[in-house]
Amino acid sequence: MTDVSGDVGFDRLTKLAALICNLPYSLLILFDENGKGIIQGNNFDFGSSFNDSDLLDYIIQSRSFVEINNLSNDHRFAARLVDSEGFLFHFFAGYPLIDNNGCIQGVLCVLDLVPNKLTEHQHTALKILSEEVCSKITVQKVSEENVSVSENKFRKTFYHAATGMFVSDPKTGVFLEVNEALSRITGYVKDDLIGIKYSEIIHREDLTHLERYLRFLISGKIPSIHTHKRLVTKSGETVWVEMVACLIKDDHGIPLNVIGQVQNITSRVNAERKLILSEEKHRVFFENSQGLMCTHNLSGKFITVNPAGAKLLGYTVDELLTMTLFDIVDIRYVDMVSQYLQQVETAGQYKGLMQLNQKDGQSKTWMYNNVLAESINGSKYVIGNAVDLTERIITEKNLHKAKQLADSQAHAKDVFLANMSHEIRTPINAITGFANLLNETELDKDQAQYVTNINTAGENLMGIINDILDFSKIESGYISIESIPFSLKEVLDSVLSVLGQKAIEKKLKFSYALDSNVPDDVIGDPVRLNQILINLANNAIKFTNDGVVKIKVVADMDEIESCRIKFSITDTGIGIDEAKLNSIFSRFTQADTDTTRKYGGTGLGLSICKSLIELQSGTIWVESTKGAGSIFHFVLPYKKDASQRSLVVTKHNKLFSTRRLKVLLVEDNLLNQVLGMKVLENFNFLPELASNGSIAIEMIEKEHYDVILMDLQMPEMDGYQATEIIRNKLKNRTPIIAMTAHSLVGEKDKCLAIGMNDYIPKPFKQDEVFNKIIYYADVKPMLVTDGDLSPYQQQVL
């Protein structure tokens, strides 16, 4: 069998057997071709004595697991089990190693100097280790057999190849092996070639160049050699050959051999030369080319130049033929010419940019792509082809400047939109906030309708602002997609809650159906999914006067760790004309020209939905019949969430804190001050007010607060400056939640980066403010209805 006595893997498995069985000694015996055991012991040495023991014969004959708790009491074995140092073993347990062919390859066993017994777990583990040793033996056998087969195939290919093959020493260049084909090319007998250096048969004019190639190959600068060279045969004849060679290294990266292939191409070279000499078309093409075409030697001296190229440089052909590349290159780049000449000679080809001076002193940038060639007499020269890129580079610089200007203007537009959003959101926050507070008071029917109308108008205005801002963020490429755990059912419940009243007012049946095969807990962006569903469902309700609006959710693809979910929003509304189906996802587009006038809206909603879906690697499409309704489908991929998340409690009539938290409201707008203080008092909090960041700092130095609600844009000291002082100077870790109508791209990330804990946009939702305050203050909320309030709670509220 294979010699594995020094294999580290077997040694590890032997030690692992002792560790698993909690015994001090383990033993691996692997039989060779003569049936003798190659022994690997852990912490002791048997020498070869165990090969002749009765115990080994017993295991082989039994062909199964053997466990002897006390060898000294077992009369089946006359010889005592003693290691090379005289230690007497009393406990033995082992498995014979039986391969797939039923042959016993050896024994894996564990031992102890005192009587012992394996547990069932240890017994099973020892069996698994025995099977692993057998598997490793089989793998090594197959590997050795494959190596032997591959080696035989290589030798067969090497010696019988139609092209010349050789193996040489990388240091001396001496041929170690050659085949008959190389013998025929060189005219030498095969045995005469072995032992001589390649330098003895390479043409002396080509030797320096080939030796440079070989140095680059051995040093690792080039992966292989592919070149045309001349050989001198035994009879003195010169033949052209194509040579391909590579370096063979050992496992430690040390060069072992150079192996190469040689093919006689003398006939091909002669035919190509005759073709070049006889082809008049090439000369005509060269002389009439509109770019710069030339040839030069490896010192940079021009050999030929086409008339058009000379004219572009401001010289005549005769003038350039007396010059070198060094004469026309800009003085700052002379060193680059030397590097270029070295590179093109070494690599055989080179391309790049070079600054050349015209005769009038004007500098221009040329792009060249040059190759190394060989003349009839064997001398090397370079064929050059260059194009003037000066105008193109100037154009690209101008385009870059224009792009920078456009980016600057786009940023200015974003800043303008964000500032306008802030100025509009601030009064809307007060309007909707006071309307909600008013709605909680005793109102007659007309007053309640007026409050509803105020909220509806505020929501419509916020929808327009949000559409414009989302459109701006998407257009600028600044919108980001989150990847967090969330519940699909909670998102759908939220959509139903937000739009349910609108559907009721229009006497529509509005519902959703979540297929049982759809995983509820997924990882993705719940905010964007909610935005997409509300937009599409809101459109469905808006354009449906009678019937139903339904959201259907099914699994489009379900795998172990991921899924693709299909959402379908169906309505029985006015439908879309077939000619308009391909354009409705375009920005500022609605199905009919009178849609905006009749139903309102910006014409951006569907475009935003499409962009948000595609940003999440999803797709959206629509099916519709004019007058019969529409179905909007979209598919989004999600990862499955295997964690156990805490469910968020849904909205109730009243939100009431079990502890009177001290909350500092930092707000400069008078209306929002009144609104914010009233809302916080209704939550049973103890709010205090600071009209700017400077005042807030003074109050925080004197008092402890459970949570700070921080506006961002304020006079004297804004929210950013105040937060940095609180965190860095005062070393205060009180939770800070930004509350702002400012919505510049990246605003939330900026808030978190300077030390704030969270971000709430205005107009704020009361339940969102409440939930975040109690979360960061670590207080349990009390969710109650009006009828559940105690007298004290009613008094506070």
Side-chain angles (χ1 to χ4, degrees):
M1 68 166 288
T2 304
D3 182 8
V4 295
S5 58
D7 193 297
V8 176
F10 286 102
D11 183 53
R12 289 174 178 167
L13 290 171
T14 306
K15 291 179 180 179
L16 186 58
L19 288 171
I20 290 176
C21 294
N22 197 25
L23 294 173
Y25 306 103
S26 55
L27 181 67
L28 175 64
I29 307 162
L30 300 174
F31 299 141
D32 60 15
E33 289 82 356
N34 300 318
K36 296 296 182 182
I38 303 169
I39 300 176
Q40 288 186 348
N42 176 33
N43 296 331
F44 71 99
D45 181 20
F46 268 119
S48 60
S49 62
F50 193 67
N51 284 324
D52 302 320
S53 68
D54 296 337
L55 182 57
L56 182 61
D57 291 337
Y58 178 74
I59 296 172
I60 295 171
Q61 290 173 8
S62 67
R63 298 179 68 85
S64 62
F65 173 70
V66 172
E67 181 178 15
I68 301 170
N69 305 109
N70 193 344
L71 282 167
S72 61
N73 294 337
D74 199 319
H75 302 293
R76 290 175 294 177
F77 311 107
R80 300 179 118 193
L81 196 59
V82 182
D83 76 349
S84 59
E85 296 184 4
F87 287 101
L88 177 64
F89 291 90
H90 286 80
F91 174 75
F92 174 90
Y95 267 100
L97 306 176
I98 303 174
D99 64 18
N100 294 334
N101 298 320
C103 299
I104 297 179
Q105 300 292 337
V107 176
L108 176 65
C109 51
V110 291
L111 307 98
D112 201 351
L113 297 175
V114 297
N116 212 324
K117 180 177 177 63
L118 295 184
T119 65
E120 188 65 29
H121 173 75
Q122 292 169 336
H123 180 180
T124 303
L126 188 61
K127 179 182 179 183
I128 293 171
L129 285 175
S130 302
E131 293 169 349
E132 182 63 24
V133 173
C134 283
S135 175
K136 187 172 176 60
I137 293 170
T138 302
V139 169
Q140 285 204 1
K141 277 186 172 183
V142 172
S143 177
E144 289 175 1
E145 290 171 0
N146 288 342
V147 169
S148 177
V149 170
S150 299
E151 192 172 311
N152 289 335
K153 286 182 178 179
F154 171 77
R155 290 185 176 276
K156 185 176 180 181
T157 302
F158 181 91
Y159 288 116
H160 294 89
T163 56
M165 303 288 292
F166 70 86
V167 177
S168 67
D169 186 283
K171 294 182 179 179
T172 63
V174 171
F175 287 118
L176 303 177
E177 291 284 349
V178 297
N179 68 349
E180 291 294 341
L182 184 61
S183 177
R184 289 193 297 271
I185 292 172
T186 61
Y188 287 88
V189 176
K190 178 182 173 183
D191 292 339
D192 290 343
L193 274 175
I194 296 176
I196 71 172
K197 296 181 179 181
Y198 65 82
S199 58
E200 297 181 34
I201 62 171
I202 296 292
H203 195 286
R204 60 184 180 83
E205 294 179 0
D206 294 348
L207 187 58
T208 302
H209 197 230
L210 180 60
E211 287 177 340
R212 180 183 294 175
Y213 269 154
L214 287 168
R215 285 198 301 272
F216 288 158
L217 178 68
I218 294 169
S219 65
K221 291 183 179 179
I222 56 175
S224 63
I225 297 173
H226 189 176
T227 184
H228 293 174
K229 290 290 174 282
R230 287 170 291 178
L231 298 183
V232 180
T233 67
K234 187 175 183 180
S235 62
E237 180 187 0
T238 299
V239 296
W240 279 94
V241 296
E242 181 177 25
M243 182 185 299
V244 180
C246 63
L247 186 66
I248 305 299
K249 300 179 181 179
D250 65 11
D251 294 337
H252 303 290
I254 298 174
L256 294 177
N257 303 117
V258 174
I259 182 169
Q261 177 180 318
V262 177
Q263 185 173 1
N264 190 336
I265 59 170
T266 305
S267 299
R268 190 175 83 194
V269 169
N270 291 336
E272 288 174 352
R273 285 179 178 170
K274 290 178 181 178
L275 181 62
I276 291 172
L277 291 173
S278 62
E279 186 55 83
E280 181 67 16
K281 292 179 181 178
H282 288 177
R283 183 186 63 80
V284 173
F285 173 76
F286 179 84
E287 291 183 352
N288 290 278
S289 177
Q290 295 305 302
L292 173 61
M293 295 192 71
C294 67
T295 59
H296 62 76
N297 63 20
L298 293 178
S299 298
K301 187 179 185 306
F302 288 107
I303 301 171
T304 60
V305 180
N306 68 324
K311 185 177 180 181
L312 287 170
L313 290 170
Y315 294 95
T316 65
V317 172
D318 292 339
E319 283 178 315
L320 281 176
L321 293 181
T322 64
M323 303 167 69
T324 70
L325 288 173
F326 294 96
D327 296 321
I328 63 171
V329 75
D330 192 292
I331 189 67
R332 295 170 296 173
Y333 307 115
V334 169
D335 290 341
M336 291 181 60
V337 177
S338 300
Q339 294 174 12
Y340 151 73
L341 292 172
Q342 292 173 4
Q343 292 285 348
V344 77
E345 182 180 7
T346 302
Q349 182 176 358
Y350 204 68
K351 58 183 177 181
L353 299 177
M354 189 176 292
Q355 291 287 126
L356 299 180
N357 286 338
Q358 297 181 167
K359 189 175 182 178
D360 60 7
Q362 185 179 356
S363 179
K364 290 196 173 184
T365 304
W366 294 75
M367 182 178 70
Y368 61 89
N369 187 1
N370 299 354
V371 295
L372 188 67
E374 190 169 309
S375 64
I376 298 173
N377 61 12
S379 62
K380 302 293 188 298
Y381 68 98
V382 178
I383 300 174
N385 178 31
V387 178
D388 184 359
L389 290 184
T390 308
E391 293 298 327
R392 178 176 172 181
I393 291 173
I394 292 173
T395 301
E396 288 180 351
K397 286 182 179 178
N398 291 335
L399 287 173
H400 181 67
K401 290 179 181 178
K403 183 180 182 301
Q404 287 182 320
L405 178 61
D407 289 343
S408 176
Q409 291 174 341
H411 179 70
K413 179 199 71 176
D414 291 339
V415 173
F416 170 76
L417 287 174
N419 288 332
M420 288 302 297
S421 166
H422 178 270
E423 296 304 318
I424 298 173
R425 284 172 184 264
T426 298
I428 289 180
N429 182 63
I431 293 169
T432 58
F434 282 117
N436 288 329
L437 290 176
L438 185 61
N439 201 36
E440 294 176 3
T441 64
E442 292 292 334
L443 302 173
D444 61 30
K445 183 177 179 181
D446 289 339
Q447 290 170 335
Q449 183 61 48
Y450 298 156
V451 172
T452 300
N453 293 343
I454 292 171
N455 280 327
T456 301
E459 289 173 5
N460 290 340
L461 184 55
M462 282 307 304
I464 294 171
I465 294 170
N466 289 335
D467 278 354
I468 294 172
L469 288 173
D470 280 341
F471 170 71
S472 176
K473 291 176 185 177
I474 293 169
E475 190 179 51
S476 302
Y478 288 122
I479 201 162
S480 59
I481 299 299
E482 287 191 310
S483 184
I484 59 174
F486 72 95
S487 164
L488 279 174
K489 186 176 185 303
E490 289 177 14
V491 172
L492 291 166
D493 285 339
S494 173
V495 173
L496 208 63
S497 174
V498 171
L499 298 178
Q501 185 59 36
K502 289 185 179 181
I504 291 171
E505 290 172 359
K506 295 190 71 173
K507 298 181 180 180
L508 301 176
K509 185 179 180 182
F510 180 38
S511 63
Y512 73 80
L514 181 62
D515 193 89
S516 60
N517 294 327
V518 177
D520 183 45
D521 293 320
V522 295
I523 298 175
D525 193 328
V527 174
R528 296 305 175 188
L529 175 59
N530 185 77
Q531 182 179 355
I532 294 164
L533 287 172
I534 283 183
N535 201 318
L536 295 177
N538 187 52
N539 277 354
I541 292 170
K542 182 195 297 185
F543 297 119
T544 302
N545 296 319
D546 183 45
V548 298
V549 174
K550 185 172 184 179
I551 302 173
K552 185 177 180 182
V553 185
V554 299
D556 188 60
M557 179 273 289
D558 191 8
E559 296 182 348
I560 295 175
E561 296 183 351
S562 62
C563 59
R564 197 165 56 236
I565 299 174
K566 180 181 177 183
F567 301 83
S568 300
I569 297 86
T570 304
D571 65 64
T572 56
I574 61 175
I576 304 168
D577 191 276
E578 185 176 355
K580 299 286 185 177
L581 288 178
N582 294 328
S583 63
I584 62 168
F585 293 109
S586 301
R587 61 190 65 170
F588 305 113
T589 300
Q590 293 190 335
D592 293 309
T593 55
D594 64 341
T595 299
T596 302
R597 183 174 63 255
K598 184 175 180 180
Y599 294 99
T602 61
L604 290 173
L606 291 179
S607 175
I608 291 170
C609 286
K610 183 174 185 292
S611 297
L612 291 176
I613 290 168
E614 290 175 349
L615 281 171
Q616 298 175 81
S617 302
T619 55
I620 183 171
W621 69 99
V622 61
E623 301 173 16
S624 184
T625 303
K626 186 73 173 177
S630 306
I631 307 176
F632 281 82
H633 305 277
F634 67 95
V635 176
L636 289 175
Y638 290 108
K639 291 181 180 179
K640 294 182 179 179
D641 178 24
S643 63
Q644 297 296 319
R645 300 183 302 107
S646 299
L647 296 178
V648 178
V649 182
T650 56
K651 300 176 183 177
H652 286 250
N653 289 343
K654 298 289 184 183
L655 293 165
F656 189 88
S657 174
T658 57
R659 198 174 86 208
R660 305 204 72 188
L661 300 174
K662 290 191 69 174
V663 180
L664 178 61
L665 175 65
V666 189
E667 170 66 62
D668 67 310
N669 184 273
L670 293 176
L671 290 176
N672 285 332
Q673 289 176 356
V674 176
L675 173 65
M677 294 293 286
K678 183 62 178 175
V679 169
L680 294 172
E681 288 170 359
N682 285 353
F683 292 154
N684 195 32
F685 297 150
L686 295 173
E688 293 186 15
L689 177 66
S691 58
N692 60 51
S694 180
I695 297 173
I697 297 296
E698 295 176 3
M699 296 176 69
I700 291 168
E701 286 180 306
K702 297 175 183 177
E703 295 286 341
H704 166 75
Y705 297 96
D706 295 295
V707 175
I708 301 168
L709 299 180
M710 182 75 72
D711 190 23
L712 296 184
Q713 288 190 324
M714 294 179 291
E716 295 189 34
M717 182 184 291
D718 64 27
Y720 298 113
Q721 296 167 320
T723 299
E724 288 178 344
I725 293 174
I726 293 168
R727 293 293 189 240
N728 302 326
K729 185 176 179 180
L730 303 184
K731 305 298 182 183
N732 188 300
R733 309 314 301 170
T734 301
I736 301 175
I737 303 172
M739 282 184 63
T740 178
H742 204 259
S743 58
L744 188 63
V745 173
E747 200 73 57
K748 181 177 181 180
D749 294 335
K750 184 178 177 182
C751 291
L752 298 179
I754 66 169
M756 295 187 184
N757 299 80
D758 215 323
Y759 178 98
I760 298 175
K762 295 178 183 175
F764 61 78
K765 297 178 180 178
Q766 291 190 27
D767 60 334
E768 183 180 8
V769 174
F770 179 83
N771 287 332
K772 290 196 175 184
I773 290 175
I774 63 169
Y775 172 80
Y776 287 105
D778 195 21
V779 177
K780 292 183 179 180
M782 179 181 293
L783 302 176
V784 297
T785 61
D786 290 330
D788 297 326
L789 296 177
S790 67
Y792 167 72
Q793 292 168 342
Q794 291 175 1
Q795 180 181 0
V796 172
L797 292 174

